[in-house]
Each structure stands twice: as structure tokens, then as C-alpha cells.
Amino acid sequence: GAVVSQHPSWVICKSGTSVKIECRSLDFQATTMFWYRQFPKQSLMLMATSNEGSKATYEQGVEKDKFLINHASLTLSTLTVTSAHPEDSSFYICSANRLAGGQNIQYFGAGTRLSVL
Amino acid sequence: GENVEQHPSTLSVQEGDSAVIKCTYSDSASNYFPWYKQELGKRPQLIIDIRSNVGEKKDQRIAVTLNKTAKHFSLHITETQPEDSAVYFCAAPRTDSWGKLQFGAGTQVVVTP
């Protein structure tokens, strides 16, 4: 199967600090990964598309200087929440695109629950 | 861009009964429709998907039907079990960018014994 690992699963930090979240495709290469944010009982909200070897593209309303994305290899994308504040507390989930049967399919990481005090 | 609407938002069924969730989409060019299951605090998991060249696809107790003319697709779960309790999301490709998905709002399914 297609396995996507996301780390850490849970992080608590003080306001003003930065937090890095890693997303790895373990058994396949992913030139494209996605970062989502999910509020309780709500759908997945796409924040940005992470492209290996090039700049990430951000959805409208998402601050690129706040949410730094680096996709340095075909198996790793990182999301750094800079100068985190309580309003950044949320569930962040990554996904990686894998070509299967001629179709690009998104496989998700287990998510990171961020709590900013 | 693609607009995906999902109904109902919550669905309570007795164990053994069937559950049906429906999604509509707006872009007639969309050709791929996945369904994801997300248990509380867990990752969304792909449970079934369908491409626009077929009208129905089955995998044991779950099936997906697609009506391209009406631009809607549905998830059917038969003989529901308590472990089917979860939030289910439908999705369709976004038209503004390759590879992106537009997700429905989700359906909370509760299977009561």
C-alpha cells in the first residue's frame, strides 16, 4: 500500500514559537504533497500544495510567511508554523499524491494536533 | 471552480441497515470521484473511488454509483456494522489546478447496535 507518515502527531507550544511538521511518503515518491487544516467537525481545508524542487503554492487567504513549506526531496515535505499563536491551534494533515492505475490518488498522513498556549 | 455538495450531514442507522450518502458536483469535466472515511482523530482513508467511464463500482459491502448526466455520485454501505461509524467525505477534482481535490462537507455516520 501507500504509506504516508506524519510527525509529530501532537505538539504543544508556547505562543511565539515555531513548530515544524514532517510528512513522509514511505514506500513511494511524491512530487506533489498537500497540506490541509481541519477544524473540529469540519471538512478538509487545503492550505497549500507542496512541489518537490519548487516553491509551494498557497490557497487564497493562507499566509505563506506564516506557514513555510519545504519539499526538499521526493519523499519529504515539511510545514513550519512560524510565530505560532493560539488561533493557529488546529489539526494539520498532509497528503501525498501517488500515481496508481493511471490516476493520481491522495494518501493521507495521520495528522498533527497543534495546541498553542 | 469545482463545487461539491454532500448530504446528509449526519446519518444514524441501525446495525444491519443500509446507509447512502450523496454528493453533487458542478464541473461536467470531472472524471474521478474518491470517498474517504475518517474516524475520530485519525487520517482520512480512501475506501473506494470511481472514474467517469463506469457507472458503478463495488467492494464487498460498499459501492459507489455515478450519474454523469445529473452530476452526482453516491456511497452505499450495506449491512452496516458499528465499525462503519465515522465521517465520510466525498471529493472531486478541482478544476483550477492539477491534482487538487475539492472535498464535500462530510457526513457523520453513526451505526447503533
Side-chain angles (χ1 to χ4, degrees):
Chain A
V3 181
V4 177
S5 172
Q6 187 172 342
H7 180 81
S9 57
W10 186 37
V11 58
I12 301 175
C13 70
K14 291 183 178 180
S15 188
T17 61
S18 295
V19 174
K20 180 186 280 188
I21 303 170
E22 292 187 350
C23 182
R24 295 179 184 271
S25 55
L26 297 186
D27 53 355
F28 65 101
Q29 294 182 330
T31 56
T32 304
M33 293 184 177
F34 300 97
W35 287 95
Y36 294 85
R37 187 171 178 175
Q38 188 175 33
F39 292 102
K41 298 188 178 182
Q42 292 192 25
S43 189
L44 298 155
M45 184 186 76
L46 182 65
M47 297 173 64
T49 303
S50 175
N51 305 297
E52 188 271 333
S54 63
K55 289 183 179 180
T57 55
Y58 291 80
E59 296 298 298
Q60 193 172 8
V62 178
E63 300 174 60
K64 62 181 180 180
D65 295 330
K66 172 78 171 175
F67 300 99
L68 300 179
I69 291 171
N70 186 282
H71 196 148
S73 78
L74 287 171
T75 59
L76 173 64
S77 174
T78 61
L79 169 69
T80 301
V81 183
T82 63
S83 187
H85 288 94
E87 57 265 31
D88 298 323
S89 298
S90 191
F91 193 52
Y92 294 88
I93 311 179
C94 70
S95 72
N97 250 1
R98 184 190 187 193
L99 187 64
Q103 179 65 51
N104 275 296
I105 297 175
Q106 285 191 34
Y107 293 94
F108 285 86
T112 297
R113 188 159 301 283
L114 172 63
S115 296
V116 184
L117 305 178
Chain B
E2 179 71 278
N3 184 39
V4 177
E5 294 192 359
Q6 182 172 347
H7 298 282
S9 57
T10 59
L11 181 58
S12 184
V13 295
Q14 285 284 116
E15 182 177 358
D17 288 349
S18 296
V20 181
I21 305 169
K22 182 177 176 179
C23 287
T24 61
Y25 60 98
S26 59
D27 186 356
S28 57
S30 290
N31 58 3
Y32 172 68
F33 307 94
W35 284 91
Y36 287 87
K37 174 184 179 183
Q38 186 180 28
E39 296 179 36
L40 187 63
K42 302 279 183 72
R43 76 183 76 205
Q45 290 193 308
L46 179 69
I47 55 171
I48 196 168
D49 56 14
I50 191 168
R51 302 183 197 184
S52 58
N53 58 347
V54 297
E56 184 176 3
K57 183 178 178 181
K58 279 186 179 180
D59 183 2
Q60 298 182 338
R61 295 189 296 107
I62 60 173
V64 55
T65 58
L66 172 65
N67 184 324
K68 288 171 58 179
T69 304
K71 290 189 283 188
H72 66 71
F73 56 109
S74 299
L75 178 70
H76 305 254
I77 308 173
T78 58
E79 300 173 28
T80 53
Q81 300 168 5
E83 52 264 39
D84 294 329
S85 296
V87 178
Y88 293 80
F89 293 99
C90 63
R94 277 176 51 169
T95 54
D96 60 328
S97 184
W98 176 88
K100 294 182 183 178
L101 292 174
Q102 183 68 47
F103 285 88
T107 298
Q108 173 76 61
V109 173
V110 177
V111 180
T112 53

